[in-house]
Amino acid sequence: MMSESAHFTFGNEAEIEDLGGGLKRQMLGYNHELMAVKIWFDEGITAYTHSHRHSQVTYVVEGEFHFMIDGVTKILKPGDSCYIPPHAEHGATSPTGGILIDTFSPAREDFLEE
């Protein structure tokens, strides 16, 4: 069974996981129904095209991102967001490098197993 995060997460204390390939991830909060994650992209990095059973909303904090969802690509900048339905093929490239906040429902169990 999945645990849940602490009620408060402090950005300067929470672990930042180096995923390799110019990506880093920090867990912000979660239970079995919901998860929020901060993602850093180095300049020019592409996150591979993939799909999953979770609903996802992504918010752009910093940088420029070229998001592809089900074959449609849009450029997102700080303050922009996108909704990715369950099982939709999606991926992103950041020509500038940047930071995203990803939210998932239900939580991504695979993020906690790694």
Side-chain angles (χ1 to χ4, degrees):
M1 178 180 235
M2 177 183 285
S3 61
E4 65 181 27
S5 66
H7 290 185
F8 298 95
T9 301
F10 299 95
N12 63 343
E13 297 175 5
E15 176 186 0
I16 298 173
E17 180 183 4
D18 188 341
L19 302 174
L23 295 170
K24 293 182 206 159
R25 173 172 66 206
Q26 184 179 49
M27 306 302 289
L28 300 178
Y30 61 88
N31 68 9
H32 68 282
E33 296 176 347
L34 181 67
M35 175 179 278
V37 181
K38 188 174 186 177
I39 306 286
W40 286 264
F41 279 62
D42 285 348
E43 183 179 330
I45 295 302
T46 297
Y48 66 96
T49 300
H50 64 287
S51 64
H52 44 73
R53 68 183 185 91
H54 312 83
S55 295
Q56 178 177 341
V57 173
T58 296
Y59 175 81
V60 179
V61 176
E62 179 180 298
E64 179 180 298
F65 289 84
H66 299 200
F67 263 91
M68 186 282 297
I69 303 170
D70 278 342
V72 176
T73 300
K74 299 286 183 179
I75 296 173
L76 301 180
K77 296 183 178 181
D80 296 339
S81 61
C82 60
Y83 165 66
I84 302 164
H87 307 289
E89 288 286 324
H90 62 284
T93 298
S94 182
T96 62
I99 300 171
L100 302 174
I101 302 295
D102 285 339
T103 55
F104 301 97
S105 179
R108 293 284 305 263
E109 305 88 349
D110 55 321
F111 285 11
L112 300 173
E113 295 170 358
E114 297 176 357

